[in-house]
Amino acid sequence: MTTHAIRGTFFDFVDDPWKHVGDEEASARFVADGLLVVEDGIITAFGPYTELSAQYGDVPTTHIEHRIITPGFIDGHIHFPQTRVLGAYGLQLLPWLQKWVFPEEARYADRDYAKDGATRFFNNLLSSGTTTAQVFTSTAPVCTEELFEEATRRKMRIIGGLTGIDQNAPEYFADTPESFYENSKILIEKYHNVGRNLYAITPRFAFGSSPEQMEKCEQLKKEYPDTWVNTHISENPHEIRGVLALHPECDDYLGVYEKYNLVGPKFSGGHGVWLSDDEFQRIHDKDASVTFCPHSNLFLGSGLFRLGKATDPDARIRMSFGTDMGGGNRFGMLAVLDGAYKVGMINNTILDGSIDPSRMDVAQSERNKLSAYRAFWSITLGGAEGLYIDDKVGSFEVGKEADFVALDWTAGPAGADWHSQLIADGGDPVTVDDAANMLFGIMIVGDERAVDQTWIMGEKAYQKSITVESTFATA
């Protein structure tokens, strides 16, 4: 058994900050000088250094100074085979898929291409502080295989699966209901619950999966009930109209997934921009989840996700945040928080009564504001709860896997270092308020440059001053 410890300044969560309006710091745990003890990748002790140092004084210890250490970031929605289309001129969702995405994703049927893409994909995740991700692949089984194989090598926790589409896609890219089913079964048997891999039955979206393929998804979920279900929902108005034309018996987009008994625990619907109030209520009632992807929603002109509605205390839904790279224009969750904050502030203005007094909803307007507490909860413990993996990751609780990120609050674009000196007299954070102010600066002023180190299962996987490749070569 290998035991070692990390000493430094820690910040994580014990509760949902939206439950503590006016007292959000009650949701957080801040330890200015703490010790995290790790045995074989699992946290075995955590607390103030003064309380634990005597017991663990002989344990080899790494002291990370002048950084805020948070749990590793969780990306709830990202596309592995879209790594190379990052930054491709957007149009809107459906024409963007046809022009850029399907041709690129088709290349991942070649194993060498998929292997190279996987190396680049995971390098970018780690350098951005992402340690856990729910991932879309392509219609080619080798793409999913290379995702899981590289994740296993990196010891990262990944939820993913063969991504099914058999209609409204080019013939060279589409699969069939039968091939999707058979290949999914093979991949589930090979990878699900093996190491840190988790499998998600993945109909790409209801516009791309025929009723026959949706029936195969339902069959897979019955045969493997502990798997996840990952898809898209209500992203774009044109897409929504297309879905309802294909399923005229359904009143709304969510109803299509309900028709095939896919909505429930471990179900994630990406985007949810145009979900109705009734759909939000049903997602709550069935304990399903939505992933907020602000960058791609803005990049593709899809719309503004109603964060204040999703966090309604009377019908709170599980939620994760996602980059949706390559529709999203960044790999990092810190950048996602910047976009989410701005979407929230626009919705705040829409509902505060200053534009249209008849639409004023003061409570929902306030819930759209993304403080540092709400933001970092959403990409750590909140994201883990949204994906039903909070027993494994998301905080520094004893028994969880030791994935974490060390953040440099002085790093970022020009001016970030000077801004940071406004807090804690230019020194290290002393209070939880100091830490929250620094974290807010990181998410608004900073970017992935603030990620100084990323640790996976208690082992360093990335350090800013060292390339990812050389880090692994010396690990």
Side-chain angles (χ1 to χ4, degrees):
M1 182 174 291
T2 302
T3 303
H4 64 281
I6 306 296
R7 182 181 180 183
T9 299
F10 293 87
F11 186 101
D12 73 338
F13 291 89
V14 296
D15 201 5
D16 176 356
W18 271 281
K19 296 179 181 178
H20 300 269
V21 177
D23 185 28
E24 292 181 12
E25 59 268 25
S27 67
R29 173 169 50 182
F30 173 71
V31 184
D33 184 13
L35 192 71
L36 184 79
V37 183
V38 181
E39 292 184 3
D40 289 344
I42 303 300
I43 299 169
T44 56
F46 175 63
Y49 180 79
T50 54
E51 295 179 9
L52 297 176
S53 57
Q55 181 179 355
Y56 296 99
D58 294 334
V59 173
T61 300
T62 300
H63 193 180
I64 301 176
E65 299 184 87
H66 314 305
R67 302 290 184 263
I68 298 176
I69 303 171
T70 73
F73 303 150
I74 297 170
D75 189 337
H77 187 114
I78 188 169
H79 292 259
F80 157 46
Q82 291 182 20
T83 301
R84 200 174 183 182
V85 300
L86 183 70
Y89 179 59
L91 310 171
Q92 284 199 1
L93 173 64
L94 298 181
W96 177 76
L97 290 172
Q98 295 287 341
K99 180 176 181 179
W100 292 104
V101 172
F102 295 147
E104 174 61 16
E105 290 193 5
R107 294 186 175 98
Y108 280 72
D110 177 83
R111 188 174 297 278
D112 289 339
Y113 194 92
K115 192 183 294 289
D116 180 49
T119 299
R120 297 171 186 270
F121 178 76
F122 283 102
N123 285 351
N124 281 306
L125 289 185
L126 288 170
S127 64
S128 301
T130 297
T131 57
T132 297
Q134 181 171 243
V135 186
F136 289 84
T137 61
S138 77
T139 54
V142 298
C143 180
T144 302
E145 290 171 355
E146 291 304 321
L147 173 80
F148 282 130
E149 292 295 333
E150 187 65 12
T152 299
R153 190 176 82 83
R154 310 276 185 137
K155 299 181 180 179
M156 292 179 68
R157 182 159 288 284
I158 293 294
I159 304 171
L162 185 71
T163 301
I165 182 169
D166 67 336
Q167 63 180 16
N168 291 315
E171 184 176 344
Y172 66 80
F173 184 70
D175 58 4
T176 68
E178 293 74 20
S179 64
F180 171 76
Y181 172 76
E182 295 297 336
N183 288 324
S184 294
K185 283 179 66 72
I186 292 169
L187 292 164
I188 291 169
E189 296 287 349
K190 185 175 182 179
Y191 292 109
H192 185 48
N193 283 323
V194 176
R196 303 184 77 193
N197 297 320
L198 299 170
Y199 198 91
I201 299 162
T202 311
R204 188 180 196 114
F205 57 168
F207 187 64
S209 290
S210 67
E212 293 76 18
Q213 190 170 75
M214 294 298 290
E215 289 172 357
K216 293 299 184 183
C217 292
E218 181 179 22
Q219 184 177 350
L220 287 166
K221 183 62 176 174
K222 288 180 180 178
E223 294 175 359
Y224 302 95
D226 68 331
T227 54
W228 276 247
V229 176
N230 184 31
T231 190
H232 296 76
I233 189 169
S234 296
E235 179 179 1
N236 176 279
H238 294 289
E239 167 214 6
I240 295 168
R241 285 194 291 272
V243 167
L244 296 181
L246 293 168
H247 299 272
E249 72 283 2
C250 296
D251 293 329
D252 52 39
Y253 205 136
L254 184 66
V256 178
Y257 297 123
E258 290 173 325
K259 174 183 173 182
Y260 298 100
N261 296 304
L262 298 175
V263 182
K266 297 186 180 180
F267 171 92
S268 289
H271 302 284
V273 174
W274 300 102
L275 290 170
S276 65
D277 289 354
D278 185 62
E279 286 173 293
F280 270 114
Q281 183 66 53
R282 282 147 51 206
I283 290 170
H284 163 78
D285 293 344
K286 296 187 177 182
D287 214 8
S289 179
V290 170
T291 305
F292 177 21
C293 304
H295 277 164
S296 62
N297 295 343
L298 296 172
F299 178 70
L300 296 172
S302 299
L304 305 175
F305 178 74
R306 295 191 292 160
L307 184 60
K309 178 62 181 177
T311 53
D312 183 344
D314 294 330
R316 182 71 158 87
I317 65 168
R318 290 179 181 261
M319 185 169 51
S320 61
F321 284 21
T323 60
D324 194 28
M325 188 288 309
N329 59 316
R330 294 287 188 278
F331 259 95
M333 296 305 295
L334 293 174
V336 167
L337 295 182
D338 173 51
Y341 172 82
K342 293 167 183 173
V343 169
M345 289 304 292
I346 293 171
N347 281 329
N348 173 262
T349 299
I350 290 171
L351 295 172
D352 70 4
S354 59
I355 299 173
D356 181 356
S358 68
R359 296 186 62 187
M360 185 169 65
D361 186 330
V362 174
Q364 186 176 157
S365 177
E366 191 281 332
R367 290 195 300 271
N368 279 290
K369 293 181 179 179
L370 199 65
S371 67
Y373 296 100
R374 294 174 176 182
F376 279 85
W377 181 83
S378 297
I379 64 170
T380 57
L381 183 57
E385 290 181 0
L387 298 179
Y388 278 87
I389 52 174
D390 51 301
D391 61 325
K392 298 176 175 63
V393 295
S395 71
F396 296 126
E397 286 298 306
V398 170
K400 291 190 178 182
E401 297 158 353
D403 297 345
F404 53 89
V405 180
L407 300 172
D408 179 359
W409 58 84
T410 69
D417 56 341
W418 200 29
H419 163 77
S420 69
Q421 294 174 19
L422 292 171
I423 307 164
D425 295 323
D428 289 5
V430 177
T431 67
V432 67
D433 188 58
D434 289 339
N437 284 325
M438 288 176 175
L439 290 171
F440 187 79
I442 287 170
M443 80 185 219
I444 298 299
V445 179
D447 50 27
E448 60 272 8
R449 282 171 285 187
V451 176
D452 181 65
Q453 299 173 33
T454 304
W455 293 64
I456 300 289
M457 297 290 282
E459 299 291 337
K460 189 183 293 184
Y462 167 81
Q463 184 168 325
K464 186 163 55 178
S465 59
I466 306 172
T467 66
V468 175
E469 291 82 359
S470 65
T471 300
F472 278 105
T474 59

